[in-house]
């Protein structure tokens, strides 16, 4: 933390972001509800599926990109829906053009998703590594979505990825942090930000991920499918802030037995 001005920015590829909560844009009832939720979250980064956006534009339909203020938000395009490395690379190149269209000419971020399994939606490690290496060489800032495999995480970091994004549990499942030990291992060894992405369903789970040292959280379904998405967005915002502060403050160690808060000496004895 910057002690001079008490700043605790999330830094990805030398770019600073105030919020450590990233928001997805799918599954909302309508665009208006999505916009209200994004505003309530006070997020700095919004991720959008470029395939879905491109399709909406071709069909002459409005999309969320057109309704957000990109002077205040940073677009994180993602390659959701891509089943191969080749598909993901093509979508990443298209994403750069969308970044330019909204005025973010220097935005070379891409959230890399390569998912060939349509049932469990688990990321393809080989396809992800292949696409990541190509995109890094093309000067993209690659944020890869992976199963929490510490070895794969290290390989992706070594080739130049700007973050590692391990899943907590399968996309949209709301199962929470089912791979806690692996995520902790990745966090312990990574020299780039580790962003827990997918599976978080409650504020306590978001808080826990931040408490163990995650740099940020990316979530969508927990907000979009709640009964009151803007309220849930605000709750997640507070959970991430709380978890981050807990991590920075250094929590007490656990003990096997009780440890009295009051000292033994100086106790008033009744006669």
């Amino acid at each position: 933390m910057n002690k001079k001005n008490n700043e605790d920015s999330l830094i990805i590829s030398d770019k600073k972001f105030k919020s450590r909560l990233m928001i997805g844009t799918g599954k909302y009832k309508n665009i208006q509800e999505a916009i209200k939720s994004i505003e309530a979250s006070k997020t700095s980064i919004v991720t959008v599926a470029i395939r879905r956006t491109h399709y909406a534009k071709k069909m002459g339909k409005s999309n969320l990109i057109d309704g957000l203020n990109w002077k205040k938000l940073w677009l994180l395009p993602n390659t959701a829906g891509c089943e191969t490395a080749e598909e993901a690379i093509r979508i990443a190149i298209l994403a750069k053009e969308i970044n330019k269209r909204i005025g973010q000419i220097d935005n070379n971020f891409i959230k890399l998703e390569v998912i060939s399994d349509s049932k469990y939606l688990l990321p393809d490690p080989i396809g992800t590594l292949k696409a990541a290496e190509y995109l890094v060489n093309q000067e993209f800032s690659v944020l890869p979505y992976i199963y929490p495999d510490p070895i794969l995480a290290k390989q992706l970091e070594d080739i130049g990825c700007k973050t590692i994004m391990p899943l907590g549990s399968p996309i949209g499942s709301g199962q929470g942090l089912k791979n806690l030990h692996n995520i902790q291992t990745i966090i312990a060894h990574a020299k780039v930000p580790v962003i827990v992405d997918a599976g978080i369903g409650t504020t306590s789970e978001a808080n826990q991920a931040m408490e163990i040292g995650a740099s940020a959280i990316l979530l969508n379904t927990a907000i979009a499918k709640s009964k009151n998405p803007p309220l849930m967005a605000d709750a997640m915002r507070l959970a991430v802030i709380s978890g981050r502060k807990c991590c920075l403050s250094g929590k007490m160690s656990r003990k096997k037995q009780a440890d009295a808060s009051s000292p033994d000496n100086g106790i008033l004895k009744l006669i």
Side-chain angles (χ1 to χ4, degrees):
M1 181 180 286
N2 188 330
K3 294 180 181 179
K4 196 170 184 179
N5 58 12
N6 204 32
E7 180 183 301
D8 180 35
S9 299
L10 170 65
I11 301 175
I12 303 174
S13 192
D14 296 325
K15 187 166 181 63
K16 291 184 178 182
F17 301 98
K18 186 176 181 180
S19 174
R20 292 177 179 271
L21 173 61
M22 303 179 182
I23 300 294
T25 54
K27 301 183 179 180
Y28 287 95
K29 293 176 184 176
N30 51 58
I31 291 175
Q32 290 71 32
E33 186 175 76
I35 292 172
K36 287 180 181 179
S37 300
I38 289 167
E39 290 174 349
S41 74
K42 291 183 169 55
T43 186
S44 301
I45 301 174
V46 174
T47 185
V48 175
I50 296 305
R51 287 188 68 152
R52 184 167 61 242
T53 300
H54 187 58
Y55 176 78
K57 187 177 179 182
K58 285 176 68 176
M59 299 299 291
K61 297 179 180 179
S62 61
N63 60 73
L64 191 58
I65 284 183
D66 298 325
L68 294 173
N69 183 354
W70 296 110
K71 292 181 179 180
K72 294 183 178 180
L73 296 168
W74 188 254
L75 176 60
L76 175 58
N78 70 59
T79 64
C82 293
E83 297 184 352
T84 66
E86 291 73 21
E87 276 187 291
I89 289 167
R90 287 197 297 271
I91 292 299
I93 293 169
L94 176 62
K96 267 194 173 181
E97 297 306 311
I98 293 176
N99 289 343
K100 291 177 183 177
R101 181 166 66 84
I102 64 171
Q104 296 183 3
I105 299 172
D106 62 334
N107 187 347
N108 63 350
F109 280 38
I110 189 72
K111 182 192 172 193
L112 178 60
E113 297 184 31
V114 181
I115 301 175
S116 56
D117 168 29
S118 61
K119 183 176 181 180
Y120 298 104
L121 299 179
L122 296 175
D124 173 2
I126 297 172
T128 300
L129 188 61
K130 180 181 177 181
E133 188 165 21
Y134 177 88
L135 292 170
V136 167
N137 289 334
Q138 296 299 309
E139 299 185 346
F140 281 84
S141 292
V142 181
L143 290 71
Y145 169 66
I146 65 168
Y147 186 83
D149 176 352
I151 303 301
L152 176 60
K154 184 66 169 62
Q155 290 172 329
L156 288 163
E157 182 179 336
D158 287 346
I159 66 173
C161 289
K162 299 302 183 182
T163 72
I164 303 298
M165 303 183 75
L167 60 85
S169 51
I171 293 173
S173 69
Q175 294 178 23
L177 304 178
K178 292 296 186 182
N179 300 284
L180 186 60
H181 177 73
N182 282 20
I183 294 171
Q184 287 177 302
T185 302
I186 292 171
I187 290 170
H189 294 91
K191 294 181 176 63
V192 296
V194 177
I195 301 167
V196 175
D197 177 15
I200 289 177
T202 66
T203 53
S204 61
E205 292 157 0
N207 185 274
Q208 183 183 23
M210 296 302 295
E211 283 185 357
I212 64 171
S215 301
I217 302 294
L218 194 157
L219 52 80
N220 181 189
T221 309
I223 294 175
K225 289 299 182 182
S226 66
K227 292 181 179 179
N228 188 331
L231 184 60
M232 180 62 82
D234 186 44
M236 289 294 184
R237 176 185 69 83
L238 294 170
V240 167
I241 292 171
S242 174
R244 176 65 177 172
K245 288 186 176 183
C246 176
C247 178
L248 291 176
S249 63
K251 66 179 182 179
M252 63 172 285
S253 57
R254 291 186 177 182
K255 298 181 179 181
K256 292 184 177 179
Q257 60 189 40
D259 184 5
S261 299
S262 303
D264 292 333
N265 60 327
I267 294 177
L268 179 64
K269 295 182 179 180
L270 299 177
I271 298 174

